[in-house]
Amino acid sequence: MVSEPSGQAVTGAGAVLAILRDGRARTRAELAQLTGLARSTVSHRLDALMSQRWVVPTEDAISSGGRPAVAFAFNENVRVVLAADLGATHARLAVLDLGLDVLAERAVELPIDAGPEATLGWLVGAFEEMLAETGRDLGQVCGVGVGLPGPVEHSSGRPVNPPIMPGWDAFPVPEWLGERIGAPVLADNDVNIMALGEHWTAGPAVDHLIFIKIGTGIGCGIIAGGKLHRGAQGAAGDVGHIQVPSASDTVCRCGNVGCLEAVASGASMAAALRAQGVEARGSRDVVALLRAGDSRAAQLIRQAGREVGRVMASIVNFFNPSTIVLGGDIAEAGEHLLAGVRETIYSRSLPLATQHLTIRASTLGDRAGVIGAAVMVVEHVLAPDSIDQAVTVDPAAVG
């Protein structure tokens, strides 16, 4: 049960739904036992939830020898979530149910520097087409989650001086999209939503996780105590602009010199290959060259792993995560990247901090962003307080 500051326990319809979200159907008696509420109060809570189809009675009744008791379950199909993971040069979109099963998905080349209205306008049209494919419409959308490849002020969902997103600074992404889709919109940095996706996949046993995205740029998402850590303004995890000795004279796109991103990102490796006369436009070309047996690409990726590992070794000593997950286009290089990262983390971190540390590639791959964006929306929409406000409970039933 949830307690108010006064210490008085309060269990609304939202708390009942939170219990049922684990996928197990329960009877009124079981819910009364779990919440401490009277069965009549539980019935009122269930009636409120069923009025909006958040909860449905299951087909199978549960019998204990007498009259079979009806069990109730969370209705994962009552609404859908729209999710978008926008990168520097490409985007992935998905329509998901409330159980986070993907109903429709689309991946396209989409340059973020086209500007906010062109990009988001295309997004609205694509979402409408995908909803039609699933037999849904905008009226069934409970929320939209968007990941952006730059700093985002979490409280407003607005980008803040994003270096690779011209025209996006302070653009009201949630308001602009919300007016056209008719549902709440949550926006965050793309690495944060990827961290959410990987944490959801890893399960509650992993409370302290670091997600590193190595693509056009480098970023970091932090799960601390089972929760996404954004920092005071939403800028936590910007490891790509930590200074490293090997880049002391290299100018970064942020304007500073010596940033990790300037020597270990997909963009920097592609530039290094072009300087050697090799055709490479970006991260995916670097990985494609590696898979084709290009030794120069292999050397650059292994060294990039070492550079990332040097920065991460300090973070391992400071934060002591249980899991480090590598994602982004360059993570598709697999062991070539992982070997470099592990080499420096294990040699430069304290033995106690690495005793049980797992360093692995992303489980979700390209889907990490859209799954994480959907997690962000579902946890917001289905939070007990949000459900309590969305349903109407008979005041006489409060107890």
Side-chain angles (χ1 to χ4, degrees):
M1 290 185 287
V2 180
S3 295
E4 289 186 325
S6 64
Q8 181 179 2
V10 177
T11 306
V16 173
L17 182 64
I19 293 171
L20 294 173
R21 282 183 59 198
D22 67 359
R24 178 185 164 191
R26 292 179 174 86
T27 64
R28 289 182 177 87
E30 288 176 310
L31 290 169
Q33 184 178 15
L34 288 168
T35 61
L37 297 172
R39 285 186 62 171
S40 60
T41 304
V42 168
S43 292
H44 281 286
R45 302 288 191 263
L46 287 170
D47 288 344
L49 292 168
M50 285 191 292
S51 70
Q52 296 189 19
R53 302 190 65 245
W54 293 111
V55 167
V56 292
T58 61
E59 294 180 359
D60 298 327
I62 299 174
S63 175
S64 58
R67 182 181 178 182
V70 177
F72 300 88
F74 173 47
N75 182 9
E76 296 180 348
N77 296 310
V78 65
R79 304 280 194 280
V80 293
V81 177
L82 304 180
D85 177 18
L86 304 181
T89 58
H90 53 275
R92 181 172 292 269
L93 287 63
V95 179
L96 306 94
D97 65 19
L98 297 181
L100 301 182
D101 288 325
V102 175
L103 307 177
E105 191 172 18
R106 183 177 297 183
V108 299
E109 295 295 321
L110 186 71
I112 199 72
D113 59 10
E117 294 191 357
T119 303
L120 297 177
W122 176 86
L123 198 64
V124 172
F127 276 144
E128 289 176 338
E129 292 173 4
M130 294 168 69
L131 284 168
E133 292 171 12
T134 64
R136 307 292 187 115
D137 57 43
L138 290 176
Q140 294 171 280
V141 175
C142 69
V144 185
V146 180
L148 299 171
V152 177
E153 183 183 54
H154 177 64
S155 60
S156 67
R158 299 187 176 198
V160 180
N161 295 318
I164 63 169
M165 300 169 64
W168 286 81
D169 184 33
F171 188 83
V173 175
E175 293 85 353
W176 197 95
L177 271 179
E179 288 175 3
R180 288 155 178 81
I181 294 179
V185 178
L186 301 178
D188 206 338
N189 175 265
D190 60 349
V191 186
N192 281 345
I193 64 170
M194 291 177 180
L196 283 173
E198 287 294 334
H199 180 248
W200 176 79
T201 301
V206 178
D207 281 340
H208 304 284
L209 178 147
I210 296 287
F211 180 88
I212 302 291
K213 178 189 177 184
I214 309 175
T216 302
I218 298 176
C220 170
I222 305 166
I223 302 293
K227 304 292 184 182
L228 179 64
H229 176 72
R230 295 184 172 93
Q233 305 298 329
D238 202 355
V239 299
H241 300 289
I242 292 176
Q243 191 173 37
V244 293
S246 61
S248 59
D249 297 325
T250 308
V251 178
C252 180
R253 63 182 177 177
C254 72
N256 288 325
V257 294
C259 296
L260 174 66
E261 195 170 288
V263 292
S265 67
S268 68
M269 286 186 272
L273 287 167
R274 289 196 301 272
Q276 298 178 54
V278 181
E279 171 112 24
R281 294 171 299 170
S283 303
R284 295 186 176 185
D285 291 338
V286 175
V287 174
L289 285 164
L290 168 74
R291 290 174 173 170
D294 191 296
S295 61
R296 293 162 295 188
Q299 183 178 2
L300 283 168
I301 289 173
R302 182 66 175 260
Q303 184 59 31
R306 294 190 185 101
E307 300 296 351
V308 170
R310 287 190 179 94
V311 169
M312 292 311 301
S314 298
I315 293 174
V316 167
N317 287 333
F318 175 76
F319 178 63
N320 188 206
S322 62
T323 304
I324 294 175
V325 180
L326 302 182
D329 289 340
I330 298 299
E332 296 296 319
E335 286 300 322
H336 286 83
L337 179 70
L338 284 166
V341 172
R342 288 170 175 152
E343 175 186 327
T344 46
I345 286 181
Y346 286 122
S347 66
R348 291 173 177 264
S349 299
L350 295 173
L352 180 60
T354 58
Q355 185 176 10
H356 301 294
L357 176 65
T358 298
I359 304 172
R360 61 171 176 82
S362 167
T363 301
L364 292 171
D366 288 345
R367 271 190 171 177
V370 291
I371 296 295
V375 169
M376 177 172 64
V377 171
V378 168
E379 293 305 316
H380 172 75
V381 171
L382 299 186
D385 288 347
S386 298
I387 292 296
D388 288 344
Q389 293 174 17
V391 302
T392 302
V393 180
D394 183 353
V398 176

